[in-house]
Amino acid sequence: MPAAAVSEPRALGSVPGSPFAAVLAGGESRRFGAPKALARVGGARVVDRVVEAARGAVGETVLVANRPEMFGGTGLRVRPDVVAGAGALGGVHAALRWAAEEGRTGALCVACDLPFLPSGLLRALVERGTAGDVDAVVPESTGRRGVEPLCAFYSVGCLAEAERMLEAGERRLVDLLARVRTARVPLDEVRRWGAPEIMFLNVNTPADHARAEEIARTGEADDGVS
């Protein structure tokens, strides 16, 4: 199987226009105790499930990961964070820098630990985000923040603000959403693609993994629109 390779920057505009999907896999998986992206749910690695969903929404998918050697077999172009230790904001920033270098309009940024993302929802985020009148599009959820910033579209228009935040030592991705023109996909619309508590279940802990395996085994995630 092909090994993941660290990419070299392309000339600005060499791949014009369309956004890509960026799977963010730069976390350290401290609570899981092992690389969570490589855990298997329903017989497939979680990262492969995320990549499949992303590819169903966007023409190209890339990987932002600080240990590219872990992701052999994905066949994806891989880059590390530009700013080390900056958390989720650092991953989005790296994706947007990459997108800007390639002349793309933005990036669909999704966490590597969301095994039940539907491609239909991801397509809707991209379609809304590329309409040109907003900087970011984020789905509402039933989680504590009320939105899912690690399943969202970010235009390259967010890049300058992300860099200002990183230079100031700020790390909260939700603060970036508050500082740019952000559109929300209402919760009632999100539910068209399935139950939010399943679609946005992230495998952070062994208990989350057990729950994900149960969902995969019982087919609970199969009720939405793909």
Side-chain angles (χ1 to χ4, degrees):
M1 299 180 74
V6 178
S7 70
E8 294 297 328
R10 295 186 181 184
L12 184 65
S14 64
V15 184
S18 61
F20 55 32
V23 177
L24 308 183
E28 297 184 13
S29 302
R30 290 192 183 96
R31 286 188 286 165
F32 193 73
K36 58 187 178 180
L38 305 184
R40 291 187 177 270
V41 170
R45 298 187 305 180
V46 177
V47 66
D48 295 328
R49 295 175 68 105
V50 176
V51 168
E52 181 180 5
R55 281 177 167 160
V58 184
E60 182 179 1
T61 299
V62 300
L63 189 66
V64 176
N66 295 318
R67 296 175 59 191
E69 70 279 3
M70 288 172 44
F71 297 97
T74 63
L76 302 181
R77 296 189 291 144
V78 187
R79 283 194 190 184
D81 291 347
V82 178
V83 179
L89 179 61
V92 170
H93 168 256
L96 291 177
R97 279 275 295 268
W98 194 349
E101 287 174 11
E102 296 192 346
R104 298 176 183 270
T105 55
L108 172 68
C109 293
V110 291
C112 67
D113 60 354
L114 298 167
F116 302 114
L117 287 178
S119 291
L121 172 61
L122 301 183
R123 281 194 298 270
L125 296 175
V126 174
E127 288 170 3
R128 179 69 182 89
T130 54
D133 59 340
V134 295
D135 297 313
V137 184
V138 62
E140 293 185 345
S141 74
T142 55
R144 60 184 175 82
R145 291 171 299 202
V147 294
E148 295 296 325
L150 284 177
C151 175
F153 178 85
Y154 295 86
S155 79
V156 293
C158 298
L159 181 56
E161 185 59 41
E163 292 188 335
R164 280 193 289 269
M165 290 177 64
L166 291 172
E167 288 170 3
E170 300 179 50
R171 298 291 185 264
R172 283 168 42 91
L173 188 52
V174 290
D175 290 344
L176 174 62
L177 292 172
R179 297 177 188 187
V180 299
R181 298 176 301 166
T182 298
R184 291 188 175 204
V185 179
L187 188 56
D188 286 348
E189 185 176 342
V190 170
R191 285 196 170 104
R192 172 189 171 198
W193 288 281
E197 60 271 19
I198 292 177
M199 291 188 292
F200 303 128
L201 172 68
N202 54 339
V203 181
N204 270 330
T205 67
D208 295 332
H209 184 223
R211 172 61 178 145
E213 282 280 58
E214 179 186 7
I215 292 169
R217 178 177 55 80
T218 60
E220 287 182 64
D222 298 334
D223 297 333
V225 177
S226 63

